Amino acid sequence: MAVTIHNALPSLNALKSKSIIRNRPESRRVSANSVRCCQVATSDKQSITVSNGNDSLEICRVLNGMWQTSGGWGRIDRDDAVDAMLRYADAGLTTFDMADHYGPAEDLYGIFINRVRRERPPEFLDKVRGLTKWVPPPVKMTSSIVRESIDVSRRRMDVPCLDMLQFHWWDYSNPGYLDALNHLTDLKEEGKIKTVALTNFDTERLRIILENGIPVVSNQVQHSVVDMRPQQKMAELCQLTGVKLITYGTVMGGLLSEKFLDTNLSIPFAGPPLNTPSLQKYKRMVDAWGGWSQFQVLLQTLKRIASKHGVSIPVVAVRYILDQPAVAGSMIGVRLGLAEHIQDTNAIFMLSLDEDDVNSIQEVTKKGKDLLGVIGDCGDEYRR
């Protein structure tokens, strides 16, 4: 039996008294048919469809993250980057994730998609997905501001309709995020956005958004074997409502790899340099979780499992998160034209972790600190 949002989330009525709620027109109110999303895995294990009512989008379960084009990971050559995007797509890794503030990411996608149109058959084009994010300042969200911002992404990506628009909001004390999402839903109904989604929203705000009848299909959040916060609160709500999780930080910028196994970063120049924004960001997460010594125990455990299956540490790390409740897909950053991990990525789809593997990982991770208590819920690290 389908479960409506009102039956599944009895605490929503209590939240109304604490939150500013804007009612949508009756046609957009929450119902079992309009808000309940579904997740259907295709036979090749690589793709999954997230849907909400008449909205649906098939994505690759491992997404190519393009934060690395924004600077700090090495100089990106435009032509080399687009060539690399084609190689990823040709290998079946057809979903690219970007944002309005990721440097030239949207522009690179526009060049790439035009090459796909010219150089690949129509059925190949149909499989390519471009997911972007809009991260506005927390100002008054008028229809014109939202429309103009989305039109910029559409022009840069050279598409009439964005496959997915993932929305971020900095300040929950400003309820303008509801206005923005209502305007984004209007643009979806006009055919300028195929699916509306969120990024870095916490569980409470996701409840409020759903209560307002806004048909989001997913929430992109930080999630790794170190950062299991999404499984503590967010996943339960997602399972009740059908909203799915797309995860980033799943290989922690490369920390979850053989490169950092058996290293001691407390000695200057003794280990690999933390020379990218992502490595520096996720090293801070390691420190909050339990420190470098405890992290080495985790890496050693992952390495034993990886060796058992003939794969690498990152493959095990991503597979473990893909197997978590409510997770539709996980992000792996791509340094386009500088480095590639196509073979490793495709190995993720072939790996099945057994009960012993899962128990071994959980035995280590439970010794780390509770990051929900240390940092807060999903996305709270951006609002501290």
Side-chain angles (χ1 to χ4, degrees), residues 123-174:
E123 57 269 23
F124 186 94
L125 176 64
D126 290 342
K127 294 180 181 296
V128 175
R129 298 288 180 264
L131 285 52
T132 194
K133 306 179 195 74
W134 181 40
V135 186
V139 298
K140 182 176 177 59
M141 289 285 107
T142 64
S143 176
S144 61
I145 287 176
V146 176
R147 183 178 299 272
E148 289 167 7
S149 298
I150 298 313
D151 282 346
V152 169
S153 289
R154 290 170 58 235
R155 285 194 299 270
R156 293 180 68 190
M157 297 172 66
D158 202 6
V159 293
C161 176
L162 300 177
D163 290 325
M164 180 184 286
L165 191 286
Q166 301 165 104
F167 175 69
H168 174 91
W169 190 250
W170 293 106
D171 182 9
Y172 292 147
S173 68
N174 180 342

Side-chain angles (χ1 to χ4, degrees), residues 209-249:
I209 288 164
L210 293 174
E211 179 65 18
N212 274 264
I214 298 167
V216 297
V217 298
S218 63
N219 186 19
Q220 186 177 134
V221 295
Q222 182 172 294
H223 196 356
S224 69
V225 292
V226 166
D227 187 359
M228 295 294 291
R229 288 177 297 156
Q231 295 304 318
Q232 293 178 260
K233 293 176 65 176
M234 180 69 67
E236 181 181 5
L237 176 61
C238 288
Q239 287 183 291
L240 287 170
T241 62
V243 173
K244 298 303 172 186
L245 298 176
I246 295 175
T247 75
Y248 66 88

Side-chain angles (χ1 to χ4, degrees), residues 195-213:
T195 53
V196 174
L198 306 173
T199 181
N200 291 316
F201 272 79
D202 66 6
T203 308
E204 180 183 353
R205 253 53 61 163
L206 176 57
R207 284 193 180 100
I208 294 171
I209 288 164
L210 293 174
E211 179 65 18
N212 274 264

